Amino acid sequence: MTTAARSAPGSLPRWLRSDALPWAGLVLALTLVVGLAAFVRYEQLEIEADLEDRAQLYARVLEDHAARLMGSTELALQTLAPALEAEASTPAHADSLLASTVRGLPFVRSLSWLDARGRVLASSQTDTRGLQLPQAAITAGPDRMTAAGARGIP
């Protein structure tokens, strides 16, 4: 070894005593902070993407479930309609047909059969037989029915 490389025992090597050492430390610290910030941002974007994917999955499942429920209800009503029209003279039998249909559709609370004027001819809830549906509900549909207009039907 040369005499320059062997300076006094216990002294630091020349590259460690340089004036550039604090700047090198600062660059290293800044690199670590920027790297950590980039990692945190990446993880945040991944979490947001995961949440969006999960929300889309829930929306698809909900849409599929609603479509199946509507399809099941439509099929049950199509099957029930001819029997109700044949049994128009016996409301008690029509009530039992509606009640048995509701038992087969656990997501349906009640089914009622109305005449053209909105009077309940038969229902799965027998206490609603004879009630009158407001004319506004018949012509406007369920979206425009007000709470005041719905008092006649429980």
Side-chain angles (χ1 to χ4, degrees):
M1 288 198 157
T2 63
T3 57
R6 276 190 198 193
S7 50
S11 68
L12 295 174
R14 181 176 174 185
W15 64 272
L16 284 176
R17 289 181 284 151
S18 168
D19 291 337
L21 184 62
W23 292 107
L26 181 63
V27 167
L28 179 62
L30 286 175
T31 302
L32 287 173
V33 168
V34 168
L36 182 62
F39 175 73
V40 168
R41 180 64 181 153
Y42 171 78
E43 287 297 316
Q44 181 183 16
L45 292 174
E46 285 293 313
I47 289 170
E48 288 174 2
D50 184 49
L51 289 174
E52 184 177 339
D53 290 345
R54 189 174 298 156
Q56 289 175 355
L57 175 65
Y58 287 153
R60 282 192 306 269
V61 168
L62 182 62
E63 180 183 16
D64 181 51
H65 187 64
R68 278 188 280 135
L69 293 179
M70 294 303 289
S72 297
T73 305
E74 182 180 8
L75 180 63
L77 292 176
Q78 286 174 351
T79 305
L80 185 63
L84 285 176
E85 290 171 358
E87 301 291 333
S89 60
T90 57
H93 185 66
D95 287 343
S96 68
L97 284 173
L98 290 167
S100 65
T101 301
V102 168
R103 279 192 297 274
L105 301 170
F107 46 85
V108 175
R109 185 171 67 179
S110 173
L111 288 175
S112 296
W113 183 31
L114 308 175
D115 65 5
R117 296 184 322 267
R119 190 171 54 91
V120 178
L121 300 176
S123 178
S124 60
Q125 294 180 349
T126 55
D127 57 334
T128 60
R129 190 183 325 146
L131 293 177
Q132 180 71 36
L133 193 68
Q135 189 64 31
I138 297 169
T139 57
D143 295 338
R144 296 193 180 153
M145 196 165 126
T146 63
R151 286 188 206 142
I153 304 294

